[in-house]
Amino acid sequence: MVEIAVKTLEGAEAGSVTLSDEIFGLEPRQDILHRMVVWQLARRQAGTHETLTRSEVNRTKRKMYKQKGTGGARHGAASAPQFRGGAKAFGPVARSHASDLPKKVRALALKHALSSKAKDQQIVILDDAVLTEPKTKLLKERLAGLGLSSALVVSGAEVDANFGLASRNVTHLDVLPVQGINVYDILRRRTLVLTKAAVDALEARFK
């Protein structure tokens, strides 16, 4: 068990919370994290790139000229890849880039991502992520006071409306509800900021 201090958004102390070793105390495995990130990014690819094949090119399929007697090479339809306006040979086709990754591996990868942040002491626990007004300047001041320049903020079941609006124009800051937490977003930011509600939800999720 690891005990970590809880802070308010203004930087004041607000008690402490104990993090479970089963979630935050594992020895991070780079191979599992790599598999998870590759799986996530592959699922994001649209896979809509496609070129025309010979059967799809809108050109006549008539033989260009007779087979013999021209002194030139033998050719068939003008839709062949070597001609201007012809088809593309072995071009890309629309497809899904997604692959399979067992659910248990995905859950384990999330634990390892959380553990890697805990091991590097890059976790901040907030009492709550709530702003009284949706002001970006106000949020920037609060983040500067906490020493956060690149962070992923994970709130409870819902993101506070004012906090979400204020964070839209802050660079290197991502805000997610706890059900949207994922390995890629955790690793791409330097600091992981969890609210107490998020910690409780994560521990309940993995029990």
Side-chain angles (χ1 to χ4, degrees), residues 20-188:
S20 171
D21 286 341
E22 296 179 0
I23 304 172
F24 296 91
L26 303 178
E27 185 63 31
R29 282 183 51 182
Q30 299 299 321
D31 59 323
I32 293 178
L33 295 176
H34 177 264
R35 285 180 65 187
M36 186 63 185
V37 170
V38 169
W39 180 82
Q40 277 190 250
L41 295 183
R43 281 169 56 88
R44 291 187 183 188
Q45 285 188 259
T48 54
H49 53 336
E50 188 172 14
T51 57
L52 297 178
T53 63
R54 290 188 64 164
S55 63
E56 296 169 331
V57 171
N58 187 20
R59 301 189 76 171
T60 178
K61 303 302 185 290
R62 180 178 178 273
K63 188 170 174 64
M64 297 176 64
Y65 46 76
K66 64 181 184 177
Q67 178 82 347
K68 293 180 177 296
T70 64
R74 297 166 289 184
H75 289 301
S79 57
Q82 64 265 38
F83 296 116
R84 184 183 182 92
K88 177 71 174 177
F90 308 112
V93 295
R95 66 183 181 90
S96 171
H97 292 268
S99 59
D100 291 331
L101 191 64
K103 191 174 182 179
K104 288 184 178 180
V105 176
R106 284 181 266 156
L108 185 61
L110 181 56
K111 289 182 182 180
H112 279 270
L114 294 170
S115 296
S116 69
K117 289 298 182 183
K119 182 180 179 180
D120 296 337
Q121 297 183 342
Q122 293 176 340
I123 284 186
V124 174
I125 307 297
L126 289 181
D127 184 39
D128 208 350
V130 177
L131 288 178
T132 55
E133 52 183 345
K135 298 292 185 181
T136 300
K137 181 179 179 182
L138 177 63
L139 179 57
K140 283 185 175 181
E141 291 174 354
R142 297 286 187 267
L143 295 176
L146 292 169
L148 302 175
S149 57
S150 172
L152 168 65
V153 179
V154 181
S155 65
E158 293 183 359
V159 176
D160 175 63
N162 289 339
F163 194 96
L165 289 172
S167 66
R168 287 183 178 182
N169 204 31
V170 180
T171 57
H172 308 302
L173 176 68
D174 297 324
V175 180
L176 294 173
V178 68
Q179 60 268 25
I181 191 171
N182 63 88
V183 173
Y184 177 70
D185 283 327
I186 290 174
L187 298 180
R188 72 192 292 259

